[in-house]
C-alpha cells in the first residue's frame, strides 16, 4: 500500500466560453510494478494506480487505464473544452481499491 | 557469502548496474538471457485484438512526441495527439499505447470524449530498453489508426 499519496492538479482559474484549456495532473505514488525484487530477493507485489478519471460538472471528460509501464509519480496532462463555469473532479484508483480525489473550479466568462 | 547470496541481497537497480558493468568489461561478451521475457510485435497484436477487436489499423492521423534517445528508462516523456475535430459525432474514442520491448506490451489506454476539446495527452512511461512505441487510435466512426516510433534507451551509460 502506497503511503503519502498526494494528488496535485493545475487548472486555469478563468477561461473564455468554448476555450480549450490544458490541465496538468501529478500524483505522488511509487507505482510498484510487481517485477522489482526487495532486499530479501522476493518480488515486491504490484501496487499501482490503474485508473484515472476526469469529470466536469459530473460529466466525463477523460479517463485512462494505466499499466505498470506508467512511471512512478504519474504525471498526465490533458485538455478540456469549457462552455460554462464549474468544477473539475479528478479521481485516481489504485490496485488496493484506495481512491484519491481532487477538485478544481474554473470560471467561464 | 556465496556469489548467489550476494546477488540476492542486491536491489534490482544495483544488480542492473552490475550487469551493465560486467557486459562492458567482458570483451568476449556475457549474454544476458532468460531473466527478461520481452514483448514483441505479435504480443502487441494480441493485446490489441482484446481491446478493439479485429479491425486492421491504417497509418496516419497520430502524432507521437517522444525523444529519439532517452537517457533514463524509468521516466520517458511521451505525448500523443490525434487529428480530429472532436465534435459530438466525430471524435477520438480511445488511444492505446504499447511498447514492444517491455515485459508486458500495454502501457496505457486513454479514453477521450467530445468534451476533451482535442485528443491530446502526455505522460511519462517506463522503458526496459531500446524499442518501438506504438499508438493505436480508435475513432467514433469505427476507423482505427496507428503510428509508431523507435526510442533508444541508454542504461548505465553503456549506450544502446
Amino acid at each position: 500500500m502506497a503511503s503519502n499519496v498526494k494528488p496535485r492538479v493545475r487548472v486555469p482559474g478563468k477561461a473564455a466560453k468554448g476555450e480549450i484549456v490544458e490541465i496538468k495532473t501529478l500524483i505522488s505514488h511509487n507505482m510498484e510494478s510487481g517485477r522489482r525484487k526487495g532486499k530479501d530477493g522476493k518480488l515486491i507485489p504490484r501496487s499501482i494506480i490503474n485508473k484515472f478519471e476526469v469529470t466536469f460538472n459530473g460529466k466525463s471528460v477523460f479517463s485512462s487505464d494505466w499499466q505498470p509501464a506508467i512511471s512512478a509519480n504519474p504525471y498526465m496532462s490533458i485538455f478540456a473544452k469549457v462552455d460554462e463555469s464549474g468544477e473539475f473532479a479528478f479521481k485516481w484508483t489504485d490496485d488496493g481499491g484506495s481512491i484519491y480525489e481532487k477538485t478544481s473550479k474554473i470560471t467561464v466568462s | 557469502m556465496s556469489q548467489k547470496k550476494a546477488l540476492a541481497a542486491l536491489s534490482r537497480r544495483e544488480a542492473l548496474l552490475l550487469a551493465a558493468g560486467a557486459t562492458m568489461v567482458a570483451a568476449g561478451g556475457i549474454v544476458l538471457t532468460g531473466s527478461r521475457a520481452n514483448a514483441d510485435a505479435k504480443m502487441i497484436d494480441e493485446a490489441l485484438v482484446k481491446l478493439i477487436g479485429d479491425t486492421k489499423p491504417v497509418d496516419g492521423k497520430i502524432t507521437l512526441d517522444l525523444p529519439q534517445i532517452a537517457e533514463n528508462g524509468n521516466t520517458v516523456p511521451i505525448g500523443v495527439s490525434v487529428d480530429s475535430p472532436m465534435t459530438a459525432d466525430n471524435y477520438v474514442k480511445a488511444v492505446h499505447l504499447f511498447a514492444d520491448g517491455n515485459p508486458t506490451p500495454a502501457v496505457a489506454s486513454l479514453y477521450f470524449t467530445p468534451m476533451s476539446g482535442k485528443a491530446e495527452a502526455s505522460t511519462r512511461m517506463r522503458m526496459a530498453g531500446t524499442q518501438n512505441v506504438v499508438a493505436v487510435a480508435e475513432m467514433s466512426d469505427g476507423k482505427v489508426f496507428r503510428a509508431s516510433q523507435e526510442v533508444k534507451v541508454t542504461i548505465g551509460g553503456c549506450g544502446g
Side-chain angles (χ1 to χ4, degrees):
Chain A
M1 190 62 56
S3 55
N4 297 323
V5 176
K6 192 180 175 200
R8 296 181 180 88
V9 297
R10 182 169 291 171
V11 177
K14 286 182 206 160
K17 187 174 159 60
E19 194 181 332
I20 296 171
V21 296
E22 185 176 18
I23 295 168
K24 292 179 174 179
T25 71
L26 184 70
I27 184 163
S28 52
H29 192 288
N30 56 8
M31 297 289 277
E32 196 59 63
S33 69
R35 295 191 162 266
R36 218 159 60 92
K37 284 190 176 122
K39 291 278 182 200
D40 58 359
K42 289 191 187 132
L43 282 178
I44 303 169
R46 177 183 131 153
S47 170
I48 66 164
I49 292 175
N50 56 46
K51 202 160 183 56
F52 168 59
E53 294 155 284
V54 183
T55 57
F56 181 65
N57 290 346
K59 283 176 279 186
S60 176
V61 174
F62 175 84
S63 71
S64 183
D65 292 333
W66 291 350
Q67 304 293 333
I70 295 294
S71 300
N73 303 326
Y75 162 85
M76 191 161 268
S77 79
I78 59 153
F79 291 87
K81 186 164 177 269
V82 285
D83 288 323
E84 53 181 352
S85 297
E87 192 176 68
F88 282 101
F90 303 86
K91 184 175 155 190
W92 294 261
T93 310
D94 77 10
D95 282 346
S98 300
I99 289 169
Y100 312 101
E101 287 175 298
K102 187 99 180 165
T103 56
S104 188
K105 284 191 168 66
I106 186 165
T107 308
V108 171
S109 51
Chain B
M1 203 193 271
S2 74
Q3 200 195 3
K4 204 176 171 189
K5 258 188 183 165
L7 270 176
L10 292 172
S11 75
R12 180 170 171 270
R13 182 177 305 240
E14 288 158 344
L16 268 177
L17 277 175
L18 204 84
T23 340
M24 282 199 290
V25 170
I30 296 170
V31 184
L32 300 168
T33 50
S35 62
R36 198 190 285 276
N38 283 340
D40 55 24
K42 200 171 149 249
M43 279 175 78
I44 291 188
D45 288 345
E46 282 166 11
L48 199 56
V49 167
K50 261 189 217 159
L51 285 165
I52 64 168
D54 283 333
T55 319
K56 280 270 167 280
V58 290
D59 285 344
K61 293 258 188 191
I62 307 171
T63 311
L64 276 169
D65 183 13
L66 279 160
Q68 288 192 320
I69 298 172
E71 285 182 10
N72 182 357
N74 272 320
T75 59
V76 182
I78 170 170
V80 60
S81 68
V82 186
D83 180 20
S84 162
M86 296 303 275
T87 54
D89 47 8
N90 183 4
Y91 64 98
V92 181
K93 260 166 62 184
V95 174
H96 307 288
L97 300 172
F98 302 94
D100 66 3
N102 276 359
T104 49
V107 174
S109 294
L110 317 171
Y111 300 97
F112 296 96
T113 68
M115 278 179 75
S116 302
K118 54 180 166 176
E120 188 175 332
S122 60
T123 184
R124 296 172 191 145
M125 64 184 279
R126 293 173 170 143
M127 297 183 80
T130 296
Q131 57 183 292
N132 293 307
V133 173
V134 178
V136 175
E138 244 183 296
M139 315 301 265
S140 55
D141 61 4
K143 289 201 178 91
V144 179
F145 295 93
R146 175 189 180 111
S148 73
Q149 190 189 321
E150 191 195 43
V151 179
K152 288 186 162 58
V153 178
T154 315
I155 299 173
C158 282

